[in-house]
Amino acid sequence: MDRIRIAGGRPLEGSIAISGAKNAALPLMAAGLLTDDRLILDNVADLADLRTMAELLAQHGIAVERTLPRRLSLGGAITNTEAPYDIVRKMRASILVLGPLLARTREARVSLPGGCAIGTRPVDLHLTGLEAMGAEIKLDSGYIHATAKRGLRGAKITFPFVSVGATENLMLAASLADGETVLINAAREPEIGDLAECLNAMGSNITGMGTDRLTIIGARRLHGAQHEIIPDRIEAGTYACAAAITGGEVLLRGARSADLGAVMACLLQAGVDINETVEGLSVSRRNGLHGTDVMTEPFPGFATDMQAQFMTLMAVAEGASMITESIFENRFMHVPELSRMGARINVHGASAIVRGVPVLSGAPVMATDLRASFSLVLAGLAAKGETIVSRVYHLDRGYEHVEQKLAACGAAIERI
Ligand code: UD1
């Protein structure tokens, strides 16, 4: 199994091209189920999770080809409406095929995703939303069996709390439903706006992007389109932390401050210098880092997908910081690993108190989930001595060419 070896202590200097957003690409690929025409997606990163989605779509009958290094071309007719456990268990976002399959063929059988390392992560909001649109849902043998004999119809759906995936699944379904769907308390993440833009290019009529109320007027049929995916704000935030923790200066090409939401303000407050230019965000740190409290929240709040990386930054900041995780119930698995590298962190329920130390020390550590794995890479980049991160398949799910991007900026990092 691959591991990553890092010799820490070198400031990163240079530039890093930010890849297309994984979390935008996943629902956009699922949108390929909404039409027999060709859907062309540009700025698509080469990531394990996207290959899993391509595998899932292929067994539904939609061929996904990489026709250019950054381009995916999707096309074909649906030949199978079952999403099997073997693929769904690898990636929870597989649930995003449920809405499109049901809207298109009036029937779908999708394996229940089950829990994952960061929490139980139920899909009840996806299911109750589809029921409100006329679907009949039965759970049997670990599968969701959804039917809509007379097709899906528009509905007014109020989410009790914000869910990115449920908002996306219902947007996909509503695009081919009969009449108007209104999603209230919808997610406002930039990936939602990106999905809406592509669905509109396919013939849907979605308004309210960037607000918590989306209105979708369903179309009888959707057609092909070409769409360019937004830059990955989590990758950008992660490399901003890398520049900051090593005291270097990195230009994040293509990154946009508006997509970072509260992450931007928290980095600035912690003492990171960020300048927006036409090329992207230039991130540096010349002075010390200060302890800064953060609480994860739906966008534009502080992204839960940046929590682990920010915690590593705070592990070497001056003073204490309180990091509260309000989205997932079990997202501090990086804490024991960071502690092995000398971090001083105490977890109390949903909050972690981080007391900054002057320097971390390299150690063998184990990645536990996608974002947590990069928090260990960050710790390794800043630490004195050698760090070996194992279980890097977590990293490969969502970060493209990590070693190449970091090594090009002077990091001593290699895959072994
Ligand atoms: C998406 C992102 C993930 C990010 C998360 C929160 C993708 C592919 N993944 O995940 O990287 O960490 O948003 O920003 O875009 N919940 C329920 N019932 C539901 C749906 C969700 O209880 O039906 C709960 C979840 O367990 C979680 C919270 O709601 O506690 C938010 O989850 P959600 O926004 O749905 O996350 P995902 O779409 O799975």
Side-chain angles (χ1 to χ4, degrees):
M1 229 186 308
D2 288 3
R3 288 175 300 163
I4 282 183
R5 177 159 58 199
I6 305 164
R10 297 192 186 192
L12 295 185
E13 303 282 348
S15 88
I16 293 176
I18 298 304
S19 301
K22 168 182 85 78
N23 286 354
L26 288 166
L28 286 165
M29 289 173 72
L33 290 162
L34 293 172
T35 176
D36 284 349
D37 296 352
R38 196 146 289 279
L39 175 64
I40 308 270
L41 299 175
D42 283 316
N43 198 26
V44 187
D46 183 18
L47 298 169
D49 271 9
L50 303 188
R51 289 193 287 275
T52 302
M53 184 55 101
E55 188 192 343
L56 181 59
L57 293 176
Q59 64 84 48
H60 289 310
I62 308 295
V64 181
E65 288 169 82
R66 200 168 269 276
T67 50
L68 287 173
R70 305 272 93 191
R71 171 174 291 176
L72 285 187
S73 170
L74 293 82
I78 296 172
T79 51
N80 164 35
T81 56
E82 178 163 322
Y85 176 65
D86 266 359
I87 302 182
V88 177
R89 74 183 167 84
K90 282 200 241 171
M91 185 184 68
R92 289 183 44 84
S94 305
I95 188 73
L96 293 171
V97 301
L98 177 62
L101 284 174
L102 188 57
R104 196 70 199 295
T105 68
R106 302 186 170 190
E107 199 263 343
R109 228 172 97 82
V110 176
S111 170
L112 270 167
C116 69
I118 62 175
T120 49
R121 297 180 83 174
V123 291
D124 52 322
L125 301 189
H126 301 239
L127 304 187
T128 49
L130 291 170
E131 278 174 336
M133 295 172 75
E136 200 180 307
I137 310 252
K138 290 201 184 100
L139 303 181
D140 79 274
S141 322
Y143 275 77
I144 301 159
H145 189 203
T147 48
K149 289 202 183 76
R150 288 191 293 277
L152 293 177
R153 52 173 192 273
K156 192 169 174 179
I157 296 159
T158 304
F159 295 111
F161 51 88
V162 177
S163 161
V164 175
T167 303
E168 291 168 344
N169 225 340
L170 297 184
M171 284 166 78
L172 289 158
S175 290
L176 276 183
D178 183 19
E180 182 182 278
T181 297
V182 184
L183 302 179
I184 299 158
N185 201 21
R188 288 185 282 164
E189 271 65 4
E191 292 77 19
I192 303 282
D194 206 34
L195 176 63
E197 201 181 289
C198 180
L199 290 172
N200 282 348
M202 293 171 74
S204 184
N205 179 349
I206 306 179
T207 51
M209 282 85 93
T211 75
D212 62 1
R213 188 184 173 102
L214 292 170
T215 303
I216 303 128
I217 300 169
R220 207 168 269 280
R221 81 175 275 281
L222 296 179
H223 48 75
Q226 180 165 358
H227 176 79
E228 181 167 339
I229 294 175
I230 55 170
D232 195 313
R233 64 196 167 96
I234 305 301
E235 191 197 25
T238 302
Y239 285 118
C241 289
I245 202 164
T246 62
E249 178 161 9
V250 177
L251 174 65
L252 305 174
R253 294 203 310 280
R256 310 186 296 203
S257 64
D259 291 345
L260 287 174
V263 170
M264 177 85 180
C266 292
L267 286 169
L268 292 171
Q269 202 187 330
V272 183
D273 300 310
I274 307 180
N275 287 309
E276 187 145 25
T277 72
V278 284
E279 279 185 283
L281 297 177
S282 172
V283 183
S284 60
R285 188 203 22 113
R286 297 287 164 230
N287 300 311
L289 291 163
H290 328 292
T292 302
D293 295 346
V294 303
M295 166 138 91
T296 64
E297 284 175 323
F299 193 85
F302 192 97
T304 173
D305 286 350
M306 279 299 302
Q307 181 257 106
Q309 302 90 308
F310 196 81
M311 186 181 291
T312 303
L313 200 59
M314 292 300 93
V316 293
E318 196 176 314
S321 37
M322 182 158 90
I323 298 188
T324 304
E325 173 58 57
S326 79
I327 309 282
F328 293 110
E329 71 264 35
N330 185 25
R331 212 174 188 178
F332 285 137
M333 285 166 308
H334 40 287
V335 169
E337 301 300 310
L338 290 173
S339 302
R340 299 192 63 250
M341 298 179 69
R344 288 180 61 209
I345 306 171
N346 288 312
V347 175
H348 301 277
S351 294
I353 308 287
V354 187
R355 292 184 179 84
V357 295
V359 67
L360 297 171
S361 60
V365 286
M366 208 161 62
T368 50
D369 70 64
L370 166 54
R371 306 301 167 186
S373 59
F374 215 116
S375 73
L376 303 177
V377 171
L378 291 173
L381 291 172
K384 198 161 177 268
E386 184 180 274
T387 295
I388 293 184
V389 184
S390 55
R391 300 203 176 160
V392 293
Y393 52 85
H394 288 294
L395 195 71
D396 296 332
R397 286 186 49 203
Y399 288 99
E400 196 183 28
H401 307 145
V402 176
E403 312 91 271
Q404 292 89 326
K405 287 185 182 191
L406 288 170
C409 291
I413 180 169
E414 61 173 347
R415 191 173 283 248
I416 50 175

